[in-house]
Amino acid sequence: MDKSATEPVEAWPANEETIAAAAALLRDGKLVAFPTETVYGLGADATDDRAVASVFEAKDRPQFNPLIVHVDKPETALALGVFPEPAKLLADRFWPGPLTLVVPRTGDCPVSLLASAGLDTIAIRVPAHPIARDLLGKAGIPVVAPSANPSGQVSPTKAGHVADGLGSRVAAIVDGGPCEIGLESTIVGFDGDVPLLLRAGGIPREEIEAALGRPLASPEHAPVAPTAPGQLASHYAPNAAVRLNAREVGHGEALLAFGPDVPPCDGPSLNLSPSGDLVEAAANLFSFLRELDATSVNTIAVSPVPETGLGEAINDRLRRAAAPRH
Ligand code: TXA
Ligand code: MG
């Protein structure tokens, strides 16, 4: 464990030098937070059991939750797992990008078994963010990277969010500005050749189904349900209570609005997308939840968000934010 990282670190602006230094820290088994197009990741050498263990420790994360392995190129990814045909097709179509594929590990997969949390599968993603790819290329190792927040809290979409939550637990934070998508990657697993949607995310279900030419099944319908990804009900919880599908706002509540029809509100209020654009709403979701939570209101009322496109992932995160706390 990295006991030396106790002083809060300042985020490094991303450039050739800081990316090279961050890559060296990763190779040295240290924790480095870095930007991806979805959210900031808490990176560690995926082939180093101690480094992977220190990720769980830093996040206070339940150990049964497996991690996503990030690599810089599709070729590198394809060597770590056994990809059924539909997985190859999705890799070809969506990598680099906000898609994670869960496939069986190869026999000689160098990734720590701890990263798979005892499963014989591995979750892999090739991020599209240029700083992430540069860092992964310079590190030259597969890197586990859960979202860079303490377990159960809202995912970070800015370097400052990482510093607030984990600043004293990482060796470095690479600042690449705000994350463009703002929601975690979509996770697709396979029951043999049958593709399953394990987590709604940055690529809408519809786009994946169009690429596959078939619908994505739900894990409940698989003969053996894969370990549910991040399915703790109260994942992503702010301190405030969250009230969904609010058509009106109570006295003393904050409002997280969506679209042009904003109910009257006498407390703090932010609009995910005044024009009703789901892409804009996804990008704003986590940082607006943080901002409203920071006002110390007891409850955040959230306007209804449609279930189409990225709305499926947005509503999934909102339902978890609203779930009773464990
Ligand atoms: O966008 C993202 O995916 C971000 C950025 C940093 O890349 N990462 C991320 O990682 O969201 P994390 O650790 O917060 O979420 C990983 C999810 C978990 O919910 C986990 O259960 C699922 O991936 N997962 C990982 N390995 C799995 C496996 N072998 N089988 C099923 N689910 C798996
Ligand atoms: Mg997370």
PDB file of all heavy atoms in Angstrom, residues 36 38-42 59 61 65-68 70 100 102 115-116 119 121-123 125 145-147 183-185 187 198-199 226-231, ligand 1:
ATOM      1  N   THR A  36     -10.559  10.588 -18.571  1.00  0.00           N
ATOM      2  CA  THR A  36     -10.989   9.856 -19.762  1.00  0.00           C
ATOM      3  C   THR A  36     -12.181  10.629 -20.311  1.00  0.00           C
ATOM      4  O   THR A  36     -12.635  11.593 -19.694  1.00  0.00           O
ATOM      5  CB  THR A  36     -11.409   8.392 -19.463  1.00  0.00           C
ATOM      6  OG1 THR A  36     -12.739   8.380 -18.941  1.00  0.00           O
ATOM      7  CG2 THR A  36     -10.457   7.710 -18.479  1.00  0.00           C
ATOM      8  N   THR A  38     -15.117   9.697 -20.330  1.00  0.00           N
ATOM      9  CA  THR A  38     -16.325   9.442 -19.534  1.00  0.00           C
ATOM     10  C   THR A  38     -16.235  10.155 -18.186  1.00  0.00           C
ATOM     11  O   THR A  38     -16.946  11.137 -17.949  1.00  0.00           O
ATOM     12  CB  THR A  38     -16.524   7.933 -19.327  1.00  0.00           C
ATOM     13  OG1 THR A  38     -15.368   7.376 -18.689  1.00  0.00           O
ATOM     14  CG2 THR A  38     -16.786   7.222 -20.643  1.00  0.00           C
ATOM     15  N   VAL A  39     -15.357   9.663 -17.304  1.00  0.00           N
ATOM     16  CA  VAL A  39     -15.122  10.270 -15.987  1.00  0.00           C
ATOM     17  C   VAL A  39     -13.639  10.116 -15.684  1.00  0.00           C
ATOM     18  O   VAL A  39     -12.930   9.406 -16.401  1.00  0.00           O
ATOM     19  CB  VAL A  39     -15.974   9.587 -14.883  1.00  0.00           C
ATOM     20  CG1 VAL A  39     -17.462   9.704 -15.186  1.00  0.00           C
ATOM     21  CG2 VAL A  39     -15.576   8.120 -14.705  1.00  0.00           C
ATOM     22  N   TYR A  40     -13.155  10.757 -14.617  1.00  0.00           N
ATOM     23  CA  TYR A  40     -11.762  10.561 -14.211  1.00  0.00           C
ATOM     24  C   TYR A  40     -11.595   9.165 -13.623  1.00  0.00           C
ATOM     25  O   TYR A  40     -12.460   8.675 -12.883  1.00  0.00           O
ATOM     26  CB  TYR A  40     -11.334  11.618 -13.179  1.00  0.00           C
ATOM     27  CG  TYR A  40     -10.831  12.889 -13.823  1.00  0.00           C
ATOM     28  CD1 TYR A  40     -11.730  13.793 -14.388  1.00  0.00           C
ATOM     29  CD2 TYR A  40      -9.467  13.163 -13.912  1.00  0.00           C
ATOM     30  CE1 TYR A  40     -11.269  14.949 -15.012  1.00  0.00           C
ATOM     31  CE2 TYR A  40      -9.002  14.320 -14.530  1.00  0.00           C
ATOM     32  CZ  TYR A  40      -9.904  15.203 -15.079  1.00  0.00           C
ATOM     33  OH  TYR A  40      -9.441  16.334 -15.705  1.00  0.00           O
ATOM     34  N   GLY A  41     -10.480   8.504 -13.976  1.00  0.00           N
ATOM     35  CA  GLY A  41     -10.196   7.173 -13.470  1.00  0.00           C
ATOM     36  C   GLY A  41      -9.105   7.209 -12.409  1.00  0.00           C
ATOM     37  O   GLY A  41      -8.231   8.084 -12.429  1.00  0.00           O
ATOM     38  N   LEU A  42      -9.181   6.239 -11.476  1.00  0.00           N
ATOM     39  CA  LEU A  42      -8.129   6.061 -10.480  1.00  0.00           C
ATOM     40  C   LEU A  42      -7.269   4.909 -10.974  1.00  0.00           C
ATOM     41  O   LEU A  42      -7.638   3.744 -10.841  1.00  0.00           O
ATOM     42  CB  LEU A  42      -8.741   5.739  -9.120  1.00  0.00           C
ATOM     43  CG  LEU A  42      -7.759   5.418  -7.989  1.00  0.00           C
ATOM     44  CD1 LEU A  42      -6.870   6.611  -7.678  1.00  0.00           C
ATOM     45  CD2 LEU A  42      -8.521   4.976  -6.750  1.00  0.00           C
ATOM     46  N   LYS A  59     -10.251   3.640  -2.393  1.00  0.00           N
ATOM     47  CA  LYS A  59     -11.671   3.942  -2.611  1.00  0.00           C
ATOM     48  C   LYS A  59     -12.561   3.447  -1.476  1.00  0.00           C
ATOM     49  O   LYS A  59     -13.765   3.723  -1.485  1.00  0.00           O
ATOM     50  CB  LYS A  59     -12.157   3.282  -3.920  1.00  0.00           C
ATOM     51  CG  LYS A  59     -11.736   4.003  -5.172  1.00  0.00           C
ATOM     52  CD  LYS A  59     -12.349   3.327  -6.407  1.00  0.00           C
ATOM     53  CE  LYS A  59     -13.851   3.385  -6.457  1.00  0.00           C
ATOM     54  NZ  LYS A  59     -14.408   4.410  -7.325  1.00  0.00           N
ATOM     55  N   ARG A  61     -13.469   0.460  -1.260  1.00  0.00           N
ATOM     56  CA  ARG A  61     -14.418  -0.223  -2.133  1.00  0.00           C
ATOM     57  C   ARG A  61     -14.610  -1.672  -1.717  1.00  0.00           C
ATOM     58  O   ARG A  61     -13.659  -2.367  -1.428  1.00  0.00           O
ATOM     59  CB  ARG A  61     -13.860  -0.187  -3.551  1.00  0.00           C
ATOM     60  CG  ARG A  61     -14.752  -0.854  -4.546  1.00  0.00           C
ATOM     61  CD  ARG A  61     -14.198  -0.666  -5.949  1.00  0.00           C
ATOM     62  NE  ARG A  61     -15.303  -0.694  -6.872  1.00  0.00           N
ATOM     63  CZ  ARG A  61     -15.239  -0.299  -8.114  1.00  0.00           C
ATOM     64  NH1 ARG A  61     -14.151   0.186  -8.602  1.00  0.00           N
ATOM     65  NH2 ARG A  61     -16.286  -0.379  -8.884  1.00  0.00           N
ATOM     66  N   ASN A  65     -16.177  -6.120  -6.036  1.00  0.00           N
ATOM     67  CA  ASN A  65     -16.510  -5.379  -7.243  1.00  0.00           C
ATOM     68  C   ASN A  65     -15.307  -5.363  -8.188  1.00  0.00           C
ATOM     69  O   ASN A  65     -14.311  -4.727  -7.891  1.00  0.00           O
ATOM     70  CB  ASN A  65     -16.885  -3.948  -6.840  1.00  0.00           C
ATOM     71  CG  ASN A  65     -17.934  -3.367  -7.751  1.00  0.00           C
ATOM     72  OD1 ASN A  65     -18.269  -3.965  -8.777  1.00  0.00           O
ATOM     73  ND2 ASN A  65     -18.440  -2.210  -7.408  1.00  0.00           N
ATOM     74  N   PRO A  66     -15.383  -6.064  -9.335  1.00  0.00           N
ATOM     75  CA  PRO A  66     -14.214  -6.126 -10.222  1.00  0.00           C
ATOM     76  C   PRO A  66     -13.983  -4.804 -10.952  1.00  0.00           C
ATOM     77  O   PRO A  66     -14.872  -3.963 -11.013  1.00  0.00           O
ATOM     78  CB  PRO A  66     -14.569  -7.243 -11.197  1.00  0.00           C
ATOM     79  CG  PRO A  66     -16.057  -7.286 -11.206  1.00  0.00           C
ATOM     80  CD  PRO A  66     -16.508  -6.854  -9.838  1.00  0.00           C
ATOM     81  N   LEU A  67     -12.784  -4.618 -11.493  1.00  0.00           N
ATOM     82  CA  LEU A  67     -12.366  -3.348 -12.081  1.00  0.00           C
ATOM     83  C   LEU A  67     -12.230  -3.449 -13.599  1.00  0.00           C
ATOM     84  O   LEU A  67     -12.034  -4.534 -14.141  1.00  0.00           O
ATOM     85  CB  LEU A  67     -11.015  -2.933 -11.499  1.00  0.00           C
ATOM     86  CG  LEU A  67     -10.947  -2.824  -9.975  1.00  0.00           C
ATOM     87  CD1 LEU A  67      -9.510  -2.580  -9.530  1.00  0.00           C
ATOM     88  CD2 LEU A  67     -11.871  -1.727  -9.487  1.00  0.00           C
ATOM     89  N   ILE A  68     -12.293  -2.301 -14.250  1.00  0.00           N
ATOM     90  CA  ILE A  68     -12.098  -2.250 -15.699  1.00  0.00           C
ATOM     91  C   ILE A  68     -10.615  -2.021 -16.003  1.00  0.00           C
ATOM     92  O   ILE A  68      -9.969  -1.168 -15.395  1.00  0.00           O
ATOM     93  CB  ILE A  68     -12.939  -1.117 -16.322  1.00  0.00           C
ATOM     94  CG1 ILE A  68     -14.431  -1.380 -16.091  1.00  0.00           C
ATOM     95  CG2 ILE A  68     -12.634  -0.987 -17.814  1.00  0.00           C
ATOM     96  CD1 ILE A  68     -15.336  -0.232 -16.528  1.00  0.00           C
ATOM     97  N   HIS A  70      -7.790  -0.772 -18.586  1.00  0.00           N
ATOM     98  CA  HIS A  70      -7.681   0.184 -19.689  1.00  0.00           C
ATOM     99  C   HIS A  70      -6.367  -0.018 -20.431  1.00  0.00           C
ATOM    100  O   HIS A  70      -5.316  -0.145 -19.796  1.00  0.00           O
ATOM    101  CB  HIS A  70      -7.711   1.616 -19.146  1.00  0.00           C
ATOM    102  CG  HIS A  70      -8.998   1.982 -18.454  1.00  0.00           C
ATOM    103  ND1 HIS A  70      -9.433   1.337 -17.322  1.00  0.00           N
ATOM    104  CD2 HIS A  70      -9.930   2.924 -18.738  1.00  0.00           C
ATOM    105  CE1 HIS A  70     -10.598   1.862 -16.938  1.00  0.00           C
ATOM    106  NE2 HIS A  70     -10.917   2.829 -17.782  1.00  0.00           N
ATOM    107  N   THR A 100     -17.094  -0.720 -22.559  1.00  0.00           N
ATOM    108  CA  THR A 100     -16.317  -1.749 -21.863  1.00  0.00           C
ATOM    109  C   THR A 100     -16.880  -3.102 -22.238  1.00  0.00           C
ATOM    110  O   THR A 100     -18.101  -3.300 -22.239  1.00  0.00           O
ATOM    111  CB  THR A 100     -16.398  -1.544 -20.333  1.00  0.00           C
ATOM    112  OG1 THR A 100     -15.742  -0.312 -19.999  1.00  0.00           O
ATOM    113  CG2 THR A 100     -15.734  -2.685 -19.581  1.00  0.00           C
ATOM    114  N   VAL A 102     -16.845  -7.205 -21.412  1.00  0.00           N
ATOM    115  CA  VAL A 102     -16.493  -8.238 -20.423  1.00  0.00           C
ATOM    116  C   VAL A 102     -16.405  -9.573 -21.149  1.00  0.00           C
ATOM    117  O   VAL A 102     -17.399 -10.047 -21.703  1.00  0.00           O
ATOM    118  CB  VAL A 102     -17.525  -8.301 -19.284  1.00  0.00           C
ATOM    119  CG1 VAL A 102     -17.188  -9.433 -18.307  1.00  0.00           C
ATOM    120  CG2 VAL A 102     -17.580  -6.971 -18.535  1.00  0.00           C
ATOM    121  N   ALA A 115      -8.102  -7.941  -9.902  1.00  0.00           N
ATOM    122  CA  ALA A 115      -8.836  -6.995 -10.758  1.00  0.00           C
ATOM    123  C   ALA A 115     -10.128  -7.635 -11.255  1.00  0.00           C
ATOM    124  O   ALA A 115     -11.118  -6.948 -11.499  1.00  0.00           O
ATOM    125  CB  ALA A 115      -7.967  -6.548 -11.933  1.00  0.00           C
ATOM    126  N   SER A 116     -10.116  -8.962 -11.430  1.00  0.00           N
ATOM    127  CA  SER A 116     -11.318  -9.672 -11.865  1.00  0.00           C
ATOM    128  C   SER A 116     -12.158 -10.115 -10.671  1.00  0.00           C
ATOM    129  O   SER A 116     -13.204 -10.747 -10.849  1.00  0.00           O
ATOM    130  CB  SER A 116     -10.948 -10.904 -12.698  1.00  0.00           C
ATOM    131  OG  SER A 116     -10.391 -10.541 -13.939  1.00  0.00           O
ATOM    132  N   LEU A 119     -13.496 -13.603 -10.679  1.00  0.00           N
ATOM    133  CA  LEU A 119     -14.246 -14.101 -11.837  1.00  0.00           C
ATOM    134  C   LEU A 119     -13.250 -14.581 -12.901  1.00  0.00           C
ATOM    135  O   LEU A 119     -12.084 -14.188 -12.885  1.00  0.00           O
ATOM    136  CB  LEU A 119     -15.117 -12.986 -12.423  1.00  0.00           C
ATOM    137  CG  LEU A 119     -16.124 -12.351 -11.456  1.00  0.00           C
ATOM    138  CD1 LEU A 119     -16.795 -11.138 -12.102  1.00  0.00           C
ATOM    139  CD2 LEU A 119     -17.172 -13.384 -11.071  1.00  0.00           C
ATOM    140  N   THR A 121     -13.591 -13.809 -15.920  1.00  0.00           N
ATOM    141  CA  THR A 121     -13.753 -12.843 -17.009  1.00  0.00           C
ATOM    142  C   THR A 121     -12.955 -11.577 -16.702  1.00  0.00           C
ATOM    143  O   THR A 121     -12.524 -11.361 -15.574  1.00  0.00           O
ATOM    144  CB  THR A 121     -15.240 -12.469 -17.194  1.00  0.00           C
ATOM    145  OG1 THR A 121     -15.768 -12.097 -15.924  1.00  0.00           O
ATOM    146  CG2 THR A 121     -16.030 -13.628 -17.774  1.00  0.00           C
ATOM    147  N   ILE A 122     -12.811 -10.737 -17.735  1.00  0.00           N
ATOM    148  CA  ILE A 122     -12.093  -9.480 -17.566  1.00  0.00           C
ATOM    149  C   ILE A 122     -12.864  -8.382 -18.299  1.00  0.00           C
ATOM    150  O   ILE A 122     -13.414  -8.618 -19.373  1.00  0.00           O
ATOM    151  CB  ILE A 122     -10.649  -9.620 -18.103  1.00  0.00           C
ATOM    152  CG1 ILE A 122      -9.845  -8.345 -17.854  1.00  0.00           C
ATOM    153  CG2 ILE A 122     -10.619  -9.993 -19.572  1.00  0.00           C
ATOM    154  CD1 ILE A 122      -8.368  -8.504 -18.191  1.00  0.00           C
ATOM    155  N   ALA A 123     -12.950  -7.224 -17.663  1.00  0.00           N
ATOM    156  CA  ALA A 123     -13.612  -6.067 -18.280  1.00  0.00           C
ATOM    157  C   ALA A 123     -12.522  -5.176 -18.882  1.00  0.00           C
ATOM    158  O   ALA A 123     -11.569  -4.811 -18.190  1.00  0.00           O
ATOM    159  CB  ALA A 123     -14.409  -5.294 -17.230  1.00  0.00           C
ATOM    160  N   ARG A 125     -11.390  -1.872 -21.639  1.00  0.00           N
ATOM    161  CA  ARG A 125     -11.829  -0.717 -22.406  1.00  0.00           C
ATOM    162  C   ARG A 125     -10.622   0.018 -22.981  1.00  0.00           C
ATOM    163  O   ARG A 125      -9.565   0.087 -22.346  1.00  0.00           O
ATOM    164  CB  ARG A 125     -12.663   0.165 -21.473  1.00  0.00           C
ATOM    165  CG  ARG A 125     -12.688   1.627 -21.706  1.00  0.00           C
ATOM    166  CD  ARG A 125     -13.838   2.210 -20.879  1.00  0.00           C
ATOM    167  NE  ARG A 125     -13.516   3.495 -20.292  1.00  0.00           N
ATOM    168  CZ  ARG A 125     -13.509   4.650 -20.968  1.00  0.00           C
ATOM    169  NH1 ARG A 125     -13.799   4.670 -22.257  1.00  0.00           N
ATOM    170  NH2 ARG A 125     -13.225   5.777 -20.354  1.00  0.00           N
ATOM    171  N   ALA A 145      -8.748   1.078 -13.739  1.00  0.00           N
ATOM    172  CA  ALA A 145      -9.171   2.441 -13.395  1.00  0.00           C
ATOM    173  C   ALA A 145     -10.661   2.496 -13.129  1.00  0.00           C
ATOM    174  O   ALA A 145     -11.473   2.652 -14.036  1.00  0.00           O
ATOM    175  CB  ALA A 145      -8.799   3.422 -14.504  1.00  0.00           C
ATOM    176  N   PRO A 146     -11.039   2.350 -11.853  1.00  0.00           N
ATOM    177  CA  PRO A 146     -12.424   2.664 -11.504  1.00  0.00           C
ATOM    178  C   PRO A 146     -12.564   4.180 -11.480  1.00  0.00           C
ATOM    179  O   PRO A 146     -11.561   4.898 -11.546  1.00  0.00           O
ATOM    180  CB  PRO A 146     -12.570   2.083 -10.102  1.00  0.00           C
ATOM    181  CG  PRO A 146     -11.196   2.133  -9.522  1.00  0.00           C
ATOM    182  CD  PRO A 146     -10.239   1.974 -10.686  1.00  0.00           C
ATOM    183  N   SER A 147     -13.765   4.664 -11.392  1.00  0.00           N
ATOM    184  CA  SER A 147     -13.955   6.102 -11.272  1.00  0.00           C
ATOM    185  C   SER A 147     -13.208   6.589 -10.019  1.00  0.00           C
ATOM    186  O   SER A 147     -13.184   5.907  -8.998  1.00  0.00           O
ATOM    187  CB  SER A 147     -15.440   6.432 -11.198  1.00  0.00           C
ATOM    188  OG  SER A 147     -16.066   5.681 -10.186  1.00  0.00           O
ATOM    189  N   LEU A 183     -20.514  10.481 -18.089  1.00  0.00           N
ATOM    190  CA  LEU A 183     -21.134   9.249 -17.583  1.00  0.00           C
ATOM    191  C   LEU A 183     -20.151   8.124 -17.851  1.00  0.00           C
ATOM    192  O   LEU A 183     -19.453   8.156 -18.854  1.00  0.00           O
ATOM    193  CB  LEU A 183     -22.364   8.895 -18.407  1.00  0.00           C
ATOM    194  CG  LEU A 183     -23.688   9.536 -18.145  1.00  0.00           C
ATOM    195  CD1 LEU A 183     -24.680   9.019 -19.178  1.00  0.00           C
ATOM    196  CD2 LEU A 183     -24.166   9.209 -16.753  1.00  0.00           C
ATOM    197  N   GLU A 184     -20.144   7.077 -16.991  1.00  0.00           N
ATOM    198  CA  GLU A 184     -19.229   5.974 -17.213  1.00  0.00           C
ATOM    199  C   GLU A 184     -19.550   5.229 -18.512  1.00  0.00           C
ATOM    200  O   GLU A 184     -20.635   5.384 -19.086  1.00  0.00           O
ATOM    201  CB  GLU A 184     -19.300   4.980 -16.043  1.00  0.00           C
ATOM    202  CG  GLU A 184     -18.860   5.563 -14.722  1.00  0.00           C
ATOM    203  CD  GLU A 184     -19.984   6.278 -13.997  1.00  0.00           C
ATOM    204  OE1 GLU A 184     -21.044   6.529 -14.611  1.00  0.00           O
ATOM    205  OE2 GLU A 184     -19.803   6.592 -12.808  1.00  0.00           O
ATOM    206  N   SER A 185     -18.583   4.385 -18.903  1.00  0.00           N
ATOM    207  CA  SER A 185     -18.738   3.631 -20.147  1.00  0.00           C
ATOM    208  C   SER A 185     -19.919   2.664 -20.066  1.00  0.00           C
ATOM    209  O   SER A 185     -20.307   2.212 -18.987  1.00  0.00           O
ATOM    210  CB  SER A 185     -17.462   2.835 -20.428  1.00  0.00           C
ATOM    211  OG  SER A 185     -17.178   1.957 -19.354  1.00  0.00           O
ATOM    212  N   ILE A 187     -21.283  -0.978 -20.397  1.00  0.00           N
ATOM    213  CA  ILE A 187     -20.623  -2.284 -20.239  1.00  0.00           C
ATOM    214  C   ILE A 187     -21.468  -3.377 -20.895  1.00  0.00           C
ATOM    215  O   ILE A 187     -22.649  -3.527 -20.579  1.00  0.00           O
ATOM    216  CB  ILE A 187     -20.387  -2.647 -18.758  1.00  0.00           C
ATOM    217  CG1 ILE A 187     -19.592  -1.535 -18.049  1.00  0.00           C
ATOM    218  CG2 ILE A 187     -19.654  -3.975 -18.651  1.00  0.00           C
ATOM    219  CD1 ILE A 187     -19.265  -1.832 -16.589  1.00  0.00           C
ATOM    220  N   LEU A 198     -24.714  -4.903 -19.380  1.00  0.00           N
ATOM    221  CA  LEU A 198     -24.434  -5.007 -17.945  1.00  0.00           C
ATOM    222  C   LEU A 198     -24.545  -3.654 -17.251  1.00  0.00           C
ATOM    223  O   LEU A 198     -24.805  -3.581 -16.059  1.00  0.00           O
ATOM    224  CB  LEU A 198     -23.046  -5.595 -17.708  1.00  0.00           C
ATOM    225  CG  LEU A 198     -22.815  -7.010 -18.241  1.00  0.00           C
ATOM    226  CD1 LEU A 198     -21.428  -7.505 -17.865  1.00  0.00           C
ATOM    227  CD2 LEU A 198     -23.875  -7.973 -17.713  1.00  0.00           C
ATOM    228  N   ARG A 199     -24.269  -2.574 -17.978  1.00  0.00           N
ATOM    229  CA  ARG A 199     -24.423  -1.236 -17.401  1.00  0.00           C
ATOM    230  C   ARG A 199     -24.707  -0.263 -18.533  1.00  0.00           C
ATOM    231  O   ARG A 199     -23.963  -0.228 -19.503  1.00  0.00           O
ATOM    232  CB  ARG A 199     -23.146  -0.814 -16.661  1.00  0.00           C
ATOM    233  CG  ARG A 199     -23.205   0.610 -16.100  1.00  0.00           C
ATOM    234  CD  ARG A 199     -21.980   0.986 -15.266  1.00  0.00           C
ATOM    235  NE  ARG A 199     -20.837   1.314 -16.109  1.00  0.00           N
ATOM    236  CZ  ARG A 199     -19.627   1.644 -15.637  1.00  0.00           C
ATOM    237  NH1 ARG A 199     -19.415   1.668 -14.337  1.00  0.00           N
ATOM    238  NH2 ARG A 199     -18.649   1.920 -16.462  1.00  0.00           N
ATOM    239  N   PRO A 226     -24.235 -12.827 -14.720  1.00  0.00           N
ATOM    240  CA  PRO A 226     -22.881 -12.368 -14.391  1.00  0.00           C
ATOM    241  C   PRO A 226     -22.953 -11.457 -13.167  1.00  0.00           C
ATOM    242  O   PRO A 226     -23.978 -10.856 -12.911  1.00  0.00           O
ATOM    243  CB  PRO A 226     -22.466 -11.545 -15.610  1.00  0.00           C
ATOM    244  CG  PRO A 226     -23.549 -11.708 -16.624  1.00  0.00           C
ATOM    245  CD  PRO A 226     -24.763 -12.246 -15.923  1.00  0.00           C
ATOM    246  N   THR A 227     -21.869 -11.388 -12.440  1.00  0.00           N
ATOM    247  CA  THR A 227     -21.814 -10.486 -11.287  1.00  0.00           C
ATOM    248  C   THR A 227     -22.278  -9.108 -11.719  1.00  0.00           C
ATOM    249  O   THR A 227     -21.733  -8.526 -12.631  1.00  0.00           O
ATOM    250  CB  THR A 227     -20.376 -10.406 -10.758  1.00  0.00           C
ATOM    251  OG1 THR A 227     -19.946 -11.707 -10.458  1.00  0.00           O
ATOM    252  CG2 THR A 227     -20.317  -9.548  -9.521  1.00  0.00           C
ATOM    253  N   ALA A 228     -23.298  -8.629 -11.067  1.00  0.00           N
ATOM    254  CA  ALA A 228     -23.883  -7.362 -11.476  1.00  0.00           C
ATOM    255  C   ALA A 228     -22.860  -6.235 -11.309  1.00  0.00           C
ATOM    256  O   ALA A 228     -22.251  -6.105 -10.256  1.00  0.00           O
ATOM    257  CB  ALA A 228     -25.118  -7.084 -10.642  1.00  0.00           C
ATOM    258  N   PRO A 229     -22.647  -5.439 -12.365  1.00  0.00           N
ATOM    259  CA  PRO A 229     -21.642  -4.383 -12.292  1.00  0.00           C
ATOM    260  C   PRO A 229     -22.109  -3.210 -11.452  1.00  0.00           C
ATOM    261  O   PRO A 229     -23.116  -2.599 -11.732  1.00  0.00           O
ATOM    262  CB  PRO A 229     -21.484  -3.961 -13.747  1.00  0.00           C
ATOM    263  CG  PRO A 229     -22.771  -4.340 -14.413  1.00  0.00           C
ATOM    264  CD  PRO A 229     -23.339  -5.493 -13.633  1.00  0.00           C
ATOM    265  N   GLY A 230     -21.372  -2.904 -10.421  1.00  0.00           N
ATOM    266  CA  GLY A 230     -21.633  -1.722  -9.604  1.00  0.00           C
ATOM    267  C   GLY A 230     -23.087  -1.621  -9.186  1.00  0.00           C
ATOM    268  O   GLY A 230     -23.650  -0.549  -9.144  1.00  0.00           O
ATOM    269  N   GLN A 231     -23.690  -2.787  -8.899  1.00  0.00           N
ATOM    270  CA  GLN A 231     -25.135  -2.750  -8.709  1.00  0.00           C
ATOM    271  C   GLN A 231     -25.530  -2.487  -7.259  1.00  0.00           C
ATOM    272  O   GLN A 231     -26.672  -2.684  -6.884  1.00  0.00           O
ATOM    273  CB  GLN A 231     -25.819  -4.015  -9.231  1.00  0.00           C
ATOM    274  CG  GLN A 231     -25.600  -4.262 -10.718  1.00  0.00           C
ATOM    275  CD  GLN A 231     -26.194  -3.210 -11.627  1.00  0.00           C
ATOM    276  OE1 GLN A 231     -26.783  -2.234 -11.181  1.00  0.00           O
ATOM    277  NE2 GLN A 231     -26.038  -3.358 -12.932  1.00  0.00           N
TER     278      GLN A 231
HETATM  279  O1  TXA B   1     -16.161   4.992 -17.858  1.00  0.00           O
HETATM  280  C1  TXA B   1     -15.721   4.112 -17.137  1.00  0.00           C
HETATM  281  O2  TXA B   1     -15.938   2.912 -17.336  1.00  0.00           O
HETATM  282  C2  TXA B   1     -14.845   4.563 -15.946  1.00  0.00           C
HETATM  283  C3  TXA B   1     -13.598   5.227 -16.531  1.00  0.00           C
HETATM  284  C4  TXA B   1     -12.614   5.625 -15.463  1.00  0.00           C
HETATM  285  O3  TXA B   1     -13.008   4.391 -17.488  1.00  0.00           O
HETATM  286  N1  TXA B   1     -14.523   3.452 -15.106  1.00  0.00           N
HETATM  287  C5  TXA B   1     -15.476   2.865 -14.316  1.00  0.00           C
HETATM  288  O4  TXA B   1     -14.977   1.854 -13.542  1.00  0.00           O
HETATM  289  O5  TXA B   1     -16.617   3.207 -14.287  1.00  0.00           O
HETATM  290  P1  TXA B   1     -15.738   1.287 -12.263  1.00  0.00           P
HETATM  291  O6  TXA B   1     -14.717   0.412 -11.591  1.00  0.00           O
HETATM  292  O7  TXA B   1     -16.310   2.381 -11.460  1.00  0.00           O
HETATM  293  O8  TXA B   1     -16.844   0.379 -12.817  1.00  0.00           O
HETATM  294  C6  TXA B   1     -16.486  -0.918 -13.241  1.00  0.00           C
HETATM  295  C7  TXA B   1     -17.705  -1.744 -13.428  1.00  0.00           C
HETATM  296  C8  TXA B   1     -18.146  -2.251 -12.118  1.00  0.00           C
HETATM  297  O9  TXA B   1     -19.503  -1.934 -11.939  1.00  0.00           O
HETATM  298  C9  TXA B   1     -17.889  -3.739 -12.207  1.00  0.00           C
HETATM  299  O10 TXA B   1     -18.815  -4.475 -11.495  1.00  0.00           O
HETATM  300  C10 TXA B   1     -17.942  -4.001 -13.699  1.00  0.00           C
HETATM  301  O11 TXA B   1     -17.383  -2.849 -14.260  1.00  0.00           O
HETATM  302  N2  TXA B   1     -17.083  -5.138 -14.047  1.00  0.00           N
HETATM  303  C11 TXA B   1     -15.752  -5.165 -14.054  1.00  0.00           C
HETATM  304  N3  TXA B   1     -15.292  -6.390 -14.338  1.00  0.00           N
HETATM  305  C12 TXA B   1     -16.385  -7.165 -14.527  1.00  0.00           C
HETATM  306  C13 TXA B   1     -16.574  -8.530 -14.833  1.00  0.00           C
HETATM  307  N4  TXA B   1     -15.555  -9.362 -15.002  1.00  0.00           N
HETATM  308  N5  TXA B   1     -17.839  -8.986 -14.932  1.00  0.00           N
HETATM  309  C14 TXA B   1     -18.890  -8.138 -14.763  1.00  0.00           C
HETATM  310  N6  TXA B   1     -18.762  -6.848 -14.463  1.00  0.00           N
HETATM  311  C15 TXA B   1     -17.532  -6.357 -14.343  1.00  0.00           C
END
